[in-house]
Amino acid sequence: IGTVNSTALISDADGDLRDIPRGYGNFAITQSTYSAAITDIGNHLLLVSSDQTVVIPSTANAVFAIGDIFTIVNSGASANSTTNISSNMTSMFRSGEASATATIAIATNGVASVLFVSASHAFVTGNVS
C-alpha cells in the first residue's frame, strides 16, 4: 500500500505507525471579534475573554482549501458568556446536522474544530450548540 505525494512515494506496511502532525501554535485571542485567516490553519485559537466571536470570512476575503482545519478553545469564558463561531461563508454546518447555520455557540470550557471541505463549506465539531 502506498501514498503518492508531490515529493516521494510513501509505503506503509500493515501495523506501521505514523506521528500525527501537531498544531503550529496556540494563539491567545483577546479581541471581542477575531477574523479567522489562512495563517490560522493548524493552530489552536485560545479565547481568553468572555463574549468573543471567531468569524470565518467569506471566500472573497480568505480562501480555505479542502482539509484545512483549526481549533478554537474557549478557556476564558464564564458560564453566562456568549462565545461563538460566526460564518460569512456559503455553508457552515454543525457536524451531524443537515442544515447550514451562520452562528454556532461554543460551550464554556469547550473545544471546537473547524474543518473545511471546500473553500465555501465547513463542518464544526466539538462542544458546540
Side-chain angles (χ1 to χ4, degrees), residues 1-2 11-18:
I1 298 174
S11 183
D12 292 336
D14 289 344
D16 283 355
L17 297 176
R18 276 215 187 152

CSV table of all heavy atoms in Angstrom, one decimal, residues 1-2 11-18:
chain,number,residue,atom,x,y,z
A,1,ILE,N,0.9,-1.2,0.0
A,1,ILE,CA,0.0,0.0,0.0
A,1,ILE,C,0.9,1.2,0.0
A,1,ILE,O,1.8,1.3,0.8
A,1,ILE,CB,-0.9,0.0,1.2
A,1,ILE,CG1,-1.8,-1.2,1.2
A,1,ILE,CG2,-1.7,1.3,1.3
A,1,ILE,CD1,-2.6,-1.4,2.5
A,2,GLY,N,0.6,2.2,-0.9
A,2,GLY,CA,1.5,3.4,-0.9
A,2,GLY,C,0.6,4.6,-1.1
A,2,GLY,O,-0.5,4.6,-1.6
A,11,SER,N,5.5,4.3,1.6
A,11,SER,CA,5.0,3.0,1.6
A,11,SER,C,4.9,2.5,3.0
A,11,SER,O,5.9,2.5,3.7
A,11,SER,CB,5.9,2.1,0.8
A,11,SER,OG,5.3,0.8,0.7
A,12,ASP,N,3.7,2.1,3.4
A,12,ASP,CA,3.5,1.6,4.8
A,12,ASP,C,3.0,0.2,4.7
A,12,ASP,O,2.3,-0.2,3.9
A,12,ASP,CB,2.4,2.4,5.5
A,12,ASP,CG,2.8,3.9,5.8
A,12,ASP,OD1,4.0,4.1,5.9
A,12,ASP,OD2,1.9,4.7,5.9
A,13,ALA,N,3.5,-0.6,5.7
A,13,ALA,CA,3.0,-2.0,5.9
A,13,ALA,C,1.9,-2.0,6.9
A,13,ALA,O,1.8,-1.1,7.7
A,13,ALA,CB,4.2,-2.9,6.3
A,14,ASP,N,1.1,-3.0,6.9
A,14,ASP,CA,0.0,-3.1,7.9
A,14,ASP,C,0.7,-3.1,9.3
A,14,ASP,O,1.7,-3.7,9.5
A,14,ASP,CB,-0.8,-4.4,7.7
A,14,ASP,CG,-1.7,-4.4,6.5
A,14,ASP,OD1,-1.9,-3.3,6.0
A,14,ASP,OD2,-2.1,-5.5,6.1
A,15,GLY,N,0.1,-2.3,10.2
A,15,GLY,CA,0.6,-2.2,11.5
A,15,GLY,C,1.6,-1.1,11.7
A,15,GLY,O,2.0,-0.8,12.9
A,16,ASP,N,2.1,-0.4,10.7
A,16,ASP,CA,3.0,0.7,10.8
A,16,ASP,C,2.3,1.8,11.5
A,16,ASP,O,1.1,2.0,11.4
A,16,ASP,CB,3.5,1.2,9.5
A,16,ASP,CG,4.6,0.2,8.9
A,16,ASP,OD1,5.0,-0.7,9.6
A,16,ASP,OD2,5.0,0.5,7.8
A,17,LEU,N,3.1,2.6,12.3
A,17,LEU,CA,2.5,3.8,13.0
A,17,LEU,C,3.2,5.0,12.4
A,17,LEU,O,4.3,5.0,12.0
A,17,LEU,CB,2.8,3.7,14.5
A,17,LEU,CG,2.2,2.5,15.2
A,17,LEU,CD1,2.6,2.5,16.7
A,17,LEU,CD2,0.7,2.6,15.2
A,18,ARG,N,2.4,6.1,12.4
A,18,ARG,CA,2.9,7.4,12.0
A,18,ARG,C,2.6,8.4,13.0
A,18,ARG,O,1.5,8.3,13.7
A,18,ARG,CB,2.2,7.8,10.7
A,18,ARG,CG,2.9,7.3,9.5
A,18,ARG,CD,2.8,8.3,8.4
A,18,ARG,NE,3.3,7.5,7.3
A,18,ARG,CZ,3.0,7.7,6.1
A,18,ARG,NH1,2.2,8.7,5.8
A,18,ARG,NH2,3.5,7.1,5.1
